[in-house]
Amino acid sequence: MARPPPLQELPPGYTPPARAASPQILAGSLKSPLWLRAYFQGLLFSLGCGIQRHCGKVLFLGLLAFGALALGLRVAIIETDLEQLWVEVGSRVSQELHYTKEKLGEEAAYTSQMLIQTPRQEGENVLTPEALDLHLQAALTASKVQVSLYGKSWDLNKICYKSGIPLIENGMIERMIEKLFPCVILTPLDCFWEGAKLQGGSAYLPGRPDIQWTNLDPEQLLEELGPFASLEGFRELLDKAQVGQAYVGRPCLHPDDLHCPPSAPNHRSKQAPKVAQELSGGCHGFSHKFMHWQEELLLGGIARDPQGQLLRAEALQSTFLLMSPRQLYEHFRGDYQTHDIGWSEEQAGTVLQAWQRRFVQLAQEALPQNSSQQIHAFSSTTLDDILHAFSEVSAARVVGGYLLMERTGECLQRTGTSVALTSINHMVAFFMAALVPIPALRAFSLQAAIVVGCNFAAVMLVFPAVLSLDLHRRHCQRLDVLCCFSSPCSARVIQILPQELGDRTVPMGIAHLTATVQAFAHCEASSQHVVTILPPRAHLVPPPSDPLGSELFSPGGSTRDLLGQEEGPRQKAACSSLPCARWNLAHFARYQFAPLLLQSHSKAVVLALFGGLLGLSLYGATLVQDGLALTDVVPRGTKEHDFLSAQLRYFSLYEVALVTQGGFDYAHSQRALFDLHQRFSSLKAVLPPPAARAPRTWLHYYRNWLQGIQAAFDQDWASGRISRHSCRNGSEDGALAYKLLIQTGDAREPLDFSQLTTRKLVDKDGLIPPELFYVGLTMWVSSDPLGLAASQANFYPPPPEWLHDKYDTTGENLRIPAAQPLEFAQFPFLLRGLQKTADFVEAIEGARAACAEAGRAGVRAYPSGSPFLFWEQYLGLRRSFLLAVCILLVCTFLVCALLLLNPWTAGLIVLVLAMMTVELFGIMGFLGIKLSAIPVVILVASVGIGVEFTVHVALGFLTTQGSRNLRAACALEHTLAPVTDGAVSTLLGLLMLAGSNFDFIIRYFFVVLTVLTLLGLLHGLVLLPVLLSILGPPPEVVQMYKESPEVLSPPAPREGGLSWGLSPTLPQSFARVTTSMTVALHPPPLPGAYIHPASDEPTWSPVATPAASGSSNLSSRGPCPATG
């Protein structure tokens, strides 16, 4: 018998000896998909051969590129600014935010630090002196916080926000007021004398003890200072603000306290106050007029009697306001306390953050563990710390994930053309997910698309280089990892060399090597047929006990497949595997899974189950709610989570503002501004002011102030204290009105004294004369600082400063500079009852409608605040989601149809992917996972990820022959192992997320992605094969004898079962034929093909026509004939 030469010694032009007998031929129609896939596979083959020749260089360049890209980690920035993460670039919210920052700067006017007290026993009443004592203890501990930085001590009085400090010409009084002026603290303790204990300011006067708010009676102090200084203006200021006796005129929680002032209402009676009665209607700061804290800001879980009287509450809240870093920097810039430390805004921010962290820590530790109450503290710095912790990368988990996913390489190397198909779909999926208009999720999607692209490049270039090095190791018979030691089980390596490419020729595919027979395929130029030439039956080995008569799609996918398979007896004995090791997923798919799945009744059950799952998912989709609460992001069981839960339950209040822009005349649009305010105030979510109080907006305060000084002027004029030529004898307010009434607004003739009695500062319609609007604005801002601070107007440009002196009646003092036309002002509001996302959406839509209505009246306005910043996305989130999914499904269809050139198959793939997305969405509803931008990205990406589970099966079905059942079985046998390996590898990677401290990571990533992986596995390996066996496209190539047109299809299954036997019309000589789908368009055959010596007959030679062998991505062994 003429034996073939050794594999590694085959010359490039080797052709086996000819034989007279004519071969049997399998022929079929040449189609475009086969030709294109053959062309693409030829390119891949040439690429692989080039990489194998230069594997060291390729690996070096790959590592070099990896190192260069890794340098980018040094400049990577972790973004924790919620506005930058959550606001869509270019959206109306982004434009409005930019406008606000352009006019006011980057920061808010103040930052908030909050304390919430709740009883440990659910439902217990906190409106008791004992509960308020505990609240005082915690608040007092927190208010006494001091931090030492830059060699200075920083306490609350230095960094707190103080609104409306008046300008006083008397230097001594001004310094005393600056030290004593109270911090803005919104607390239920302000209803009692004990609220003064939270104010840390103090002043010293000779002959008196230190003046503090606990012993300060402003009325008495002014009486004592009256003989020494002219304080008439300051007295009127306090009277207007209704300061009265401040805290010393309020009841004491414990009237038997030695420091309880005699002026307290219950000092003599020694009776404890009725807490509910005192807190009814809210509390006041030191100013009754401008500092009113409503009940909803102080009490949570309120219960009332049928008459509406306050009975009980379940929570107390105190809020400390601090300056922003810029304000703190400006306040101490140039001050003697900071001149030696290089004071900067960054240092101011560091001081605030250190104080806030210490504040939270001490407040949470203020009460003993056995106390009946518990304190929850929170600050803006706490939120930043949470986001930083959320963004930290756990190196241990990353390393653990890679260790668990070592088998991914073996799964990837089993794929061929489908690697490109799945990678392209993944990239398209993430690029489509970038349509979600949220910067954080858009960045995530783009990063994921880049990662998939880099992974694709690594798999196609770097990984083959690594395999080539492993082949070299095996050729040298070295152990894996321990390369210094020889391996007794190593075998010879088959040499595969790339062929020279001629002009206008198509690259050859790679020959599929088996231990049985070599099959060649070529294209006949005359008939345009693909011809597969097989040896005569004398060279075919009789089938073993395998019922299929061959090794059907052996899952071997490592570099062992490139080793020689003819070994000596000694090596076979040394390297023989155990019988139990022969079982694999392909064996399971062939003998158990496919025959069971492809039975008729099994198909019916599968379709019914998946139909039921789809129906349940459609119902579950109706349960999905929009939203992403901050409590979902913060780790459960932490103090921060407890605070946020309590705040959401008891104090769902949000500070918002209605911003009016420039571009219109405020002076002539007063009626439209009042209408806008009224329309906004009528929204259901807006917290109305108490019935006895006027709205707290700058336009109302401004008008009321003008009406007040007009009334004072009228009285002074009627009594003769003010005349046409003098206002010295009039009151302060009367003199202010005098100076304002004579203004004309004309730069050439600014004063007209004849107007004193012919005009009013506010007309009968409640409007300010337009010619006086901006002049009066300057006067109001300078003369009523408390009213300005309470209005939170934040004017831009700010009106000029102007000091009033009624005794100075010179022309220069009478000329009041007009404020510049306003470009920014705002009306503050409080939103309440916002628990669900639907509540936020309703409030946002109402606010936007009010602004749109004002716009038609010529007023440019927009709402501002956290609800509009973070919840506006939900107005169009579902629309963006549906748009992205639809576009992605269309793109997936086009990509699959283009690469497979089979729209039928692409349509089935897209159908399954759409079902997966719907089912994942429905399961989210049953799991209580809310829809936000993060689940939307996963849902959109699920389409691309699902391709990984479906395209392999579809491609395997498309490129095999026989009945639909047999082709589905062949596809399962070939793809079950790699698809399962991929799913297991994914689940192992996701397992790292299960150990996260953030419940958000577990629920929104681990759970959702795990469900997606399981759905992909079920749809790809159960539903899709059933659909293909029923609705699958016809085979691309039909197997037949060239001498006879009879189609060699497997017989129909008996009793609905899957028949694995051979066709009666198929000669026994074809029992051991194993080929892949092969198309080759020029000779010669690749060297290294192996022919099993079955007899002593001469080796068989193919006809002398151009033939070569190529393999598709289904490079497998098996009897399921796949031809090209």
Side-chain angles (χ1 to χ4, degrees):
M1 180 185 73
R3 298 180 61 84
L7 294 176
Q8 65 268 33
E9 299 174 4
L10 284 174
Y14 169 76
T15 302
R19 174 180 170 86
S22 61
Q24 286 95 5
I25 295 176
L26 300 177
S29 170
L30 178 62
K31 296 184 178 179
S32 303
L34 302 178
W35 189 91
L36 287 177
R37 280 200 292 274
Y39 182 85
F40 183 61
Q41 289 163 355
L43 294 178
L44 290 177
F45 174 69
S46 299
L47 175 65
C49 292
I51 292 175
Q52 184 170 350
R53 279 200 308 267
H54 307 287
C55 57
K57 299 177 183 177
V58 173
L59 185 59
F60 173 76
L61 292 176
L63 294 177
L64 189 63
F66 172 78
L69 294 175
L71 293 177
L73 296 175
R74 299 181 58 185
V75 296
I77 299 176
I78 298 179
E79 182 63 75
T80 58
D81 186 350
L82 286 178
E83 295 177 359
Q84 298 296 327
L85 292 172
W86 220 245
V87 179
E88 176 188 1
V89 177
S91 65
R92 65 181 178 186
V93 176
S94 176
Q95 295 171 1
E96 293 163 357
L97 188 63
H98 175 73
Y99 186 85
T100 301
K101 290 183 177 181
E102 180 184 1
K103 303 305 179 184
L104 298 185
E106 293 289 331
E107 299 170 340
Y110 51 80
T111 58
S112 301
Q113 328 304 310
M114 289 164 283
L115 294 179
I116 294 180
Q117 176 180 321
T118 57
R120 295 188 183 274
Q121 185 176 352
E122 186 76 15
E124 185 178 340
N125 184 25
V126 296
L127 299 185
T128 63
E130 293 74 21
L132 283 173
D133 274 342
L134 294 175
H135 194 74
L136 173 63
Q137 179 181 341
L140 192 59
T141 301
S143 67
K144 301 303 180 184
V145 168
Q146 290 188 354
V147 294
S148 296
L149 284 174
Y150 312 114
K152 311 294 180 183
S153 179
W154 305 89
D155 59 14
L156 176 63
N157 197 52
K158 287 184 178 180
I159 65 175
C160 70
Y161 176 75
K162 300 179 180 182
S163 66
I165 300 179
L167 297 176
I168 305 296
E169 291 185 351
N170 188 298
M172 180 187 71
I173 301 299
E174 184 180 9
R175 288 191 296 271
M176 184 179 69
I177 291 176
E178 184 178 357
K179 292 181 179 180
L180 277 176
F181 205 83
C183 300
V184 178
I185 304 175
L186 289 69
T187 173
L189 296 170
D190 273 351
C191 282
F192 308 94
W193 167 76
E194 281 76 6
K197 295 183 178 180
L198 302 181
Q199 304 292 345
S202 63
Y204 171 75
L205 285 177
R208 287 182 58 104
D210 285 350
I211 301 174
Q212 298 178 343
W213 283 101
T214 53
N215 60 16
L216 173 60
D217 184 342
E219 295 178 347
Q220 180 182 352
L221 180 63
L222 290 178
E223 292 293 335
E224 295 178 3
L225 295 177
F228 305 101
S230 176
L231 300 175
E232 183 182 353
F234 185 56
R235 185 191 302 274
E236 288 192 9
L237 179 66
L238 295 182
D239 291 339
K240 288 181 182 179
Q242 301 175 9
V243 173
Q245 291 182 302
Y247 290 97
V248 297
R250 303 176 188 182
C252 298
L253 280 173
H254 296 283
D256 53 352
D257 188 337
L258 295 179
H259 297 92
C260 180
S263 55
N266 60 344
H267 175 73
R268 292 184 178 180
S269 65
K270 304 299 181 182
Q271 292 182 354
K274 297 179 179 179
V275 174
Q277 182 179 343
E278 294 294 337
L279 289 172
S280 181
C283 299
H284 299 85
F286 79 95
S287 168
H288 278 253
K289 181 178 180 180
F290 298 119
M291 296 183 176
H292 175 248
W293 324 135
Q294 294 177 252
E295 280 183 7
E296 290 81 0
L297 293 170
L298 310 176
L299 307 176
I302 295 175
R304 302 181 186 274
D305 62 14
Q307 288 73 37
Q309 296 298 318
L310 180 64
L311 288 179
R312 54 185 293 110
E314 298 180 15
L316 301 172
Q317 177 175 258
S318 291
T319 304
F320 295 74
L321 302 187
L322 306 182
M323 285 188 282
S324 67
R326 177 171 296 181
Q327 286 179 326
L328 185 60
Y329 165 70
E330 294 290 344
H331 182 72
F332 283 100
R333 186 175 62 171
D335 190 271
Y336 74 94
Q337 301 181 66
T338 58
H339 74 281
D340 59 338
I341 61 175
W343 183 241
S344 65
E345 189 172 340
E346 182 180 356
Q347 289 176 323
T350 302
V351 169
L352 287 171
Q353 291 176 358
W355 194 93
Q356 288 173 318
R357 292 189 180 99
R358 187 62 175 164
F359 170 91
V360 172
Q361 178 186 357
L362 292 184
Q364 292 172 343
E365 298 173 354
L367 301 185
Q369 293 293 330
N370 59 354
S371 174
S372 62
Q373 306 286 314
Q374 52 187 348
I375 294 293
H376 313 289
F378 195 76
S379 71
S380 56
T381 300
T382 305
L383 179 59
D384 292 338
D385 293 341
I386 291 172
L387 291 176
H388 277 293
F390 184 79
S391 304
E392 288 180 354
V393 178
S394 173
R397 289 199 178 97
V398 172
V399 173
Y402 276 108
L403 292 176
L404 288 175
M405 294 177 65
E406 276 186 356
R407 298 187 61 208
T408 305
E410 187 160 343
C411 176
L412 287 174
Q413 69 90 30
R414 294 176 185 177
T415 63
T417 314
S418 57
V419 171
L421 185 60
T422 55
S423 296
I424 291 174
N425 274 283
H426 284 173
M427 285 187 285
V428 171
F430 284 114
F431 280 127
M432 288 301 103
L435 292 176
V436 178
I438 305 299
L441 282 308
R442 179 170 292 174
F444 167 78
S445 302
L446 294 177
Q447 290 167 5
I450 293 173
V451 168
V452 172
C454 294
N455 180 72
F456 175 55
V459 169
M460 299 300 291
L461 300 175
V462 179
F463 188 68
V466 175
L467 291 181
S468 299
L469 291 177
D470 190 62
L471 283 174
H472 182 71
R473 174 191 65 79
R474 292 178 181 276
H475 180 77
C476 296
Q477 298 185 355
R478 298 291 182 180
L479 285 175
D480 196 1
V481 181
L482 303 176
C483 301
C484 296
F485 300 94
S486 299
S487 171
C489 294
S490 295
R492 292 169 295 155
V493 178
I494 299 175
Q495 303 294 329
I496 299 180
L497 301 176
Q499 304 299 318
E500 297 294 336
L501 299 179
D503 294 337
R504 299 182 180 179
T505 58
V506 180
M508 292 184 300
I510 184 171
H512 178 67
L513 307 175
T514 72
T516 305
V517 70
Q518 178 186 15
F520 294 95
H522 74 279
C523 176
E524 293 181 342
S526 59
S527 61
Q528 291 296 304
H529 283 173
V530 173
V531 181
T532 302
I533 305 173
L534 304 177
R537 72 177 60 190
H539 291 271
L540 297 176
V541 179
S545 58
D546 186 345
L548 279 177
S550 71
E551 302 170 355
L552 179 62
F553 294 142
S554 173
S558 67
T559 54
R560 299 185 186 90
D561 295 341
L562 299 179
L563 301 178
Q565 300 185 27
E566 184 181 12
E567 302 177 355
R570 181 176 304 176
Q571 283 190 342
K572 286 185 177 181
C575 302
S576 60
S577 60
L578 297 175
C580 61
R582 298 173 184 173
W583 186 93
N584 51 46
L585 289 175
H587 184 278
F588 169 74
R590 174 184 176 82
Y591 289 101
Q592 283 88 30
F593 184 62
L596 176 63
L597 179 66
L598 299 177
Q599 298 289 334
S600 297
H601 63 275
S602 298
K603 295 179 184 179
V605 172
V606 168
L607 293 177
L609 289 177
F610 277 90
L613 177 60
L614 182 61
L616 285 175
S617 300
L618 290 174
Y619 170 71
T622 64
L623 305 178
V624 177
Q625 298 180 357
D626 293 346
L628 178 62
L630 198 56
T631 51
D632 295 332
V633 179
V634 178
R636 292 183 182 272
T638 61
K639 295 180 179 178
E640 292 80 8
H641 186 275
D642 294 340
F643 171 87
L644 293 173
S645 299
Q647 186 187 47
L648 182 63
R649 178 178 179 183
Y650 297 115
F651 300 100
S652 185
L653 289 172
Y654 296 87
E655 293 183 355
V656 299
L658 185 58
V659 175
T660 52
Q661 303 173 257
F664 71 96
D665 188 357
Y666 281 70
H668 290 86
S669 303
Q670 296 176 59
R671 176 54 57 198
L673 289 171
F674 282 120
D675 292 343
L676 172 61
H677 177 267
Q678 179 60 35
R679 193 176 299 112
F680 202 94
S681 301
S682 63
L683 297 178
K684 183 177 69 173
V686 172
L687 178 65
R693 298 187 63 86
R696 57 186 189 102
T697 68
W698 68 268
L699 195 54
H700 290 89
Y701 281 131
Y702 179 26
R703 184 180 65 179
N704 294 344
W705 180 82
L706 289 175
Q707 290 172 335
I709 64 173
Q710 177 72 61
F713 172 83
D714 292 341
Q715 291 179 1
D716 290 343
W717 183 271
S719 62
R721 291 191 296 269
I722 292 181
S723 64
R724 179 172 180 176
H725 303 289
S726 175
C727 62
R728 292 185 176 184
N729 296 325
S731 63
E732 290 288 336
D733 284 353
L736 286 171
Y738 174 89
K739 293 182 179 181
L740 186 57
L741 285 169
I742 62 176
Q743 306 296 317
T744 64
D746 188 351
R748 291 174 297 181
E749 297 182 3
L751 304 177
D752 184 358
F753 292 91
S754 64
Q755 299 178 148
L756 283 172
T757 57
T758 60
R759 71 192 309 183
K760 295 292 184 181
L761 298 180
V762 179
D763 63 21
K764 60 181 180 180
D765 296 325
L767 302 179
I768 304 168
E771 64 273 14
L772 293 179
F773 186 85
Y774 285 109
V775 177
L777 191 64
T778 297
M779 182 177 287
W780 173 62
V781 168
S782 301
S783 304
D784 189 17
L786 291 176
L788 176 65
S791 72
Q792 302 179 34
N794 286 329
F795 291 131
Y796 182 86
E801 290 186 359
W802 175 78
L803 289 178
H804 164 63
D805 183 359
K806 73 175 183 178
Y807 299 104
D808 186 357
T809 57
T810 61
E812 189 64 29
N813 186 263
L814 292 178
R815 293 185 180 92
I816 304 172
Q820 298 182 41
L822 294 176
E823 298 178 16
F824 184 98
Q826 62 184 24
F827 298 152
F829 293 93
L830 283 174
L831 300 185
R832 61 174 179 179
L834 303 182
Q835 297 287 340
K836 300 179 180 179
T837 302
D839 301 329
F840 286 94
V841 171
E842 181 182 359
I844 292 172
E845 291 176 341
R848 291 293 182 184
C851 293
E853 184 68 23
R856 288 187 283 273
V859 175
R860 299 178 58 193
Y862 62 86
S864 176
S866 57
F868 306 98
L869 200 63
F870 303 121
W871 275 271
E872 177 122 354
Q873 57 165 305
Y874 295 103
L875 295 180
L877 182 63
R878 296 203 176 212
R879 181 175 63 254
S880 300
F881 165 54
L882 291 176
L883 176 63
V885 169
C886 292
I887 293 176
L888 180 54
L889 288 174
V890 172
C891 292
T892 301
F893 174 81
L894 294 177
V895 170
C896 293
L898 180 63
L899 294 184
L900 299 178
L901 287 178
N902 194 308
W904 190 337
T905 305
L908 289 177
I909 292 175
V910 169
L911 173 64
V912 173
L913 295 178
M915 290 181 61
M916 285 177 54
T917 303
V918 172
E919 290 164 4
L920 179 60
F921 189 67
I923 292 175
M924 284 173 48
F926 288 116
L927 294 177
I929 296 176
K930 298 178 181 179
L931 184 67
S932 63
I934 294 174
V936 162
V937 168
I938 297 177
L939 286 166
V940 173
S942 68
V943 178
I945 296 172
V947 173
E948 185 73 40
F949 298 98
T950 56
V951 72
H952 303 298
V953 177
L955 191 57
F957 179 87
L958 193 63
T959 55
T960 53
Q961 301 178 53
S963 67
R964 286 193 175 100
N965 274 0
L966 184 58
R967 291 160 60 207
C970 292
L972 275 175
E973 185 168 6
H974 172 70
T975 58
L976 182 65
V979 170
T980 304
D981 282 349
V984 171
S985 299
T986 302
L987 291 174
L988 290 177
L990 294 176
L991 192 61
M992 295 298 98
L993 300 178
S996 174
N997 295 328
F998 290 86
D999 184 67
F1000 169 78
I1001 293 291
I1002 298 175
R1003 286 171 53 81
Y1004 284 81
F1005 285 92
F1006 172 72
V1007 173
V1008 175
L1009 290 174
T1010 299
V1011 171
L1012 172 59
T1013 303
L1014 296 178
L1015 285 176
L1017 200 62
L1018 291 174
H1019 285 75
L1021 297 180
V1022 178
L1023 178 62
L1024 184 58
V1026 170
L1027 292 178
L1028 290 172
S1029 68
I1030 300 174
L1031 304 173
E1036 292 180 338
V1037 178
V1038 178
Q1039 191 179 53
M1040 64 183 66
Y1041 285 110
K1042 193 171 184 181
E1043 294 86 347
S1044 172
E1046 181 181 4
V1047 179
L1048 300 178
S1049 300
R1054 300 176 181 177
E1055 299 180 358
L1058 177 65
S1059 174
W1060 291 95
L1062 297 173
S1063 169
T1065 59
L1066 182 65
Q1068 184 64 27
S1069 59
F1070 288 86
R1072 289 291 288 173
V1073 174
T1074 62
T1075 79
S1076 297
M1077 180 187 68
T1078 57
V1079 177
L1081 300 179
H1082 78 81
L1086 291 175
Y1090 178 60
I1091 304 175
H1092 196 287
S1095 66
D1096 292 335
E1097 297 183 17
T1099 49
W1100 168 82
S1101 171
V1103 292
T1105 56
S1109 177
S1111 71
S1112 74
N1113 61 309
L1114 300 178
S1115 54
S1116 310
R1117 310 183 189 98
C1120 297
T1123 67

